[in-house]
Amino acid sequence: MNTLILRILTQPHLMQAVVALALAGVVGAVYWQVISRPFVYDDWYILYSIHTHDVATTITNAFIPFDKLIYRPLAMVYYAVVFKMFGLNPVPFHLLALVLHICNSGLVAFVLFRMSGMKSGAIAAAILYAGAASVHLDPLLWLVGFYDIAGMFFLLLSFAFFLSKKSRLSIASFAFALLTKESTFFFVGVLVVYVVLWERNQFRRLYPHLVVSVLYAAIKTMGKSALTIDGAHPHRMDVWGKHITMNLESYGRWLADSLFPSIHNSSLLLIGGLMILILLSVIQSIRSSGTTHRLLNPKLVMFFLIWLVVGILPVLFLRNQAARYYAIYSLVPFLFLIVYAISLVVPESRTAYRNALLSVTVVVSLLANAFYVNSLFARGMNEVVTADGRFHLIQKGEVVNTLHSALMEKHPGLPPHATLVISGPGLMAIGKGIAPKFWYNDTTLQVISLVEYYHLKESLSTDSLENRHFYFLNFDSSSTE
């Protein structure tokens, strides 16, 4: 056994294969239940937009920036192509997202190893990243999660190419990241910090990335600004207000929660404990003789602390919306700092003990995350009572499945231009009525709530009402009427 382990550790390609298999195993074990989940919420808007246009038109429109708040054309290309290939089958979308998440975890290991030289630490952080369900579960549960999963993929790929001195590939990957999710814009700041700390004489390597950033910013000015849109809009940004401190507190809790998640709101005590761990690790790294721990690298600590803060900036100023998965861009530095602190706590001569401590941390975290995911799925419709910062996509998925079954049982067929009246909750989960247009293959179908139906009765004449075909579904008790 020792000979086999030694062989794995000394052969890079064999080691990479083992790490890849381990990451795939972690992702499969923690997230396997997402594969069969239906489209929910915002997914339906995107799919309907693609369904009502041809692929060429969808892709062309995606790259036109005018009058748009959200400009993510590369993601729209992906949606259009995969939808054209697989239609309303959500399984391929989920599988591709899971594969991309495995790739992201592998890139985390590569980047951290190149930055720190810590093989075991980089692998531990990558496994923790792969299993951090409190951050990753929502993006994996719905179609629009591709924005952040793919945005992180291109960001990490750009950094990996940059560290490998492959500038052109790094620039292209960074451009792809920007065209997938706006939040990745912060990454150019991370590169600036890296060059300032380690490659001051090669600052020119950054010029193309800066040019790409400026060009992207110029394109974004052609659309709407998050600073000037309606104050109630979920993407409204304000650079001043109490929402900033509230967001700081929330993202701090949610990052800490990524290690040992709870189905209830996480506690600030966990953040305090992790900060104490980092402080003690630095103190422990200073030997009584005055020498410094071999692993202690102030530049490395500074770099990841800056990345941690800068990664949150794109969402810190959102006034009306905060979500756990927005913390994805600060998750890598956070997890590395935790792993780094654990490594510094252990004396240099105790390598085996350090690896054992990292292994225990990883195993306990993975078990906690697996339990977290299973608990959420077990709650199903009752998921809404769980921790803050989530979109309750499991509950919405249950609503979609239940509504679909109830409709097919009560109204297996509807005539053209029918009006479907749904009482009770559920319209948001089905895209405010878009999903039934797919289920009945009828773009003329109108779906309204019971409240909207009563408003119609008050505003329309008796003759107009009699000329319309209304079909009712009471979702309150999952029964029809």
Side-chain angles (χ1 to χ4, degrees), residues 66-329:
F66 304 110
D67 202 37
K68 289 179 180 177
L69 175 64
I70 295 176
Y71 183 67
R72 303 166 185 174
L74 204 61
M76 284 303 298
V77 173
Y78 164 80
Y79 295 144
V81 171
V82 179
F83 181 73
K84 183 68 174 178
M85 295 173 62
F86 300 104
L88 281 180
N89 183 1
V91 173
F93 287 98
H94 289 314
L95 286 176
L96 288 170
L98 289 170
V99 169
L100 207 54
H101 182 49
I102 295 170
C103 293
N104 286 350
S105 304
L107 285 169
V108 168
F110 176 85
V111 167
L112 295 183
F113 176 65
R114 289 295 295 266
M115 289 288 298
S116 68
M118 298 168 53
K119 183 178 294 185
S120 57
I123 294 172
I127 294 176
L128 290 173
Y129 179 89
S134 65
V135 173
H136 296 307
L137 182 58
D138 272 9
L140 292 169
L141 277 170
W142 60 349
L143 177 70
V144 298
F146 177 82
Y147 292 135
D148 291 283
I149 298 171
M152 196 64 187
F153 171 75
F154 288 122
L155 184 154
L156 290 169
L157 192 64
S158 178
F159 200 10
F161 283 136
F162 192 85
L163 294 173
S164 302
K165 311 296 183 182
K166 298 177 180 179
S167 296
R168 292 181 180 178
L169 292 175
S170 176
I171 296 162
S173 299
F174 179 49
F176 288 162
L178 291 173
L179 295 176
T180 304
K181 184 66 183 281
E182 302 91 338
S183 299
T184 58
F185 188 86
F186 82 92
F187 178 62
V188 70
V190 173
L191 289 182
V192 169
V193 174
Y194 173 82
V195 171
V196 168
L197 290 176
W198 284 287
E199 298 182 2
R200 289 190 181 183
N201 61 337
Q202 298 185 43
F203 201 83
R204 67 181 63 183
R205 290 184 63 206
L206 268 182
Y207 291 164
H209 293 81
L210 295 173
V211 170
V212 168
S213 300
V214 171
L215 290 175
Y216 176 78
I219 292 173
K220 282 290 293 177
T221 60
M222 300 177 188
K224 296 179 181 179
S225 170
L227 295 171
T228 58
I229 56 176
D230 181 75
H233 196 284
H235 293 134
R236 169 64 186 240
M237 283 188 173
D238 283 327
V239 296
W240 188 258
K242 63 179 182 180
H243 62 284
I244 297 176
T245 54
M246 293 173 62
N247 285 342
L248 273 174
E249 184 270 336
S250 294
Y251 287 113
R253 284 191 296 109
W254 295 337
L255 282 170
D257 216 28
S258 66
L259 278 176
F260 309 109
S262 168
I263 59 173
H264 303 291
N265 290 339
S266 52
S267 171
L268 284 172
L269 291 175
L270 183 55
I271 303 177
L274 294 175
M275 293 303 102
I276 292 173
L277 171 64
I278 294 175
L279 179 61
L280 289 177
S281 68
V282 174
I283 295 174
Q284 177 66 23
S285 68
I286 307 300
R287 306 324 232 143
S288 57
S289 60
T291 60
T292 304
H293 197 296
R294 180 180 59 85
L295 293 177
L296 183 61
N297 185 335
K299 284 186 178 181
L300 201 62
V301 175
M302 182 184 300
F303 172 79
F304 282 105
L305 283 174
I306 293 174
W307 181 353
L308 177 68
V309 174
V310 174
I312 288 294
L313 285 181
V315 295
L316 189 62
F317 303 104
L318 287 174
R319 190 172 77 179
N320 304 315
Q321 183 167 282
R324 288 172 179 256
Y325 74 85
Y326 290 170
I328 190 172
Y329 301 105

Side-chain angles (χ1 to χ4, degrees), residues 10-75:
T10 55
Q11 295 190 22
H13 295 298
L14 191 56
M15 183 67 178
Q16 291 168 9
V18 171
V19 172
L21 287 173
L23 293 174
V26 167
V27 171
V30 176
Y31 305 106
W32 63 272
Q33 295 178 85
V34 310
I35 295 175
S36 60
R37 303 307 293 176
F39 296 118
V40 294
Y41 206 20
D42 290 348
D43 296 353
W44 295 109
Y45 299 106
I46 293 174
L47 295 175
Y48 191 70
S49 174
I50 298 170
H51 177 65
T52 52
H53 300 84
D54 58 76
V55 173
T57 301
T58 298
I59 294 175
T60 301
N61 291 339
F63 281 91
I64 298 175
F66 304 110
D67 202 37
K68 289 179 180 177
L69 175 64
I70 295 176
Y71 183 67
R72 303 166 185 174
L74 204 61

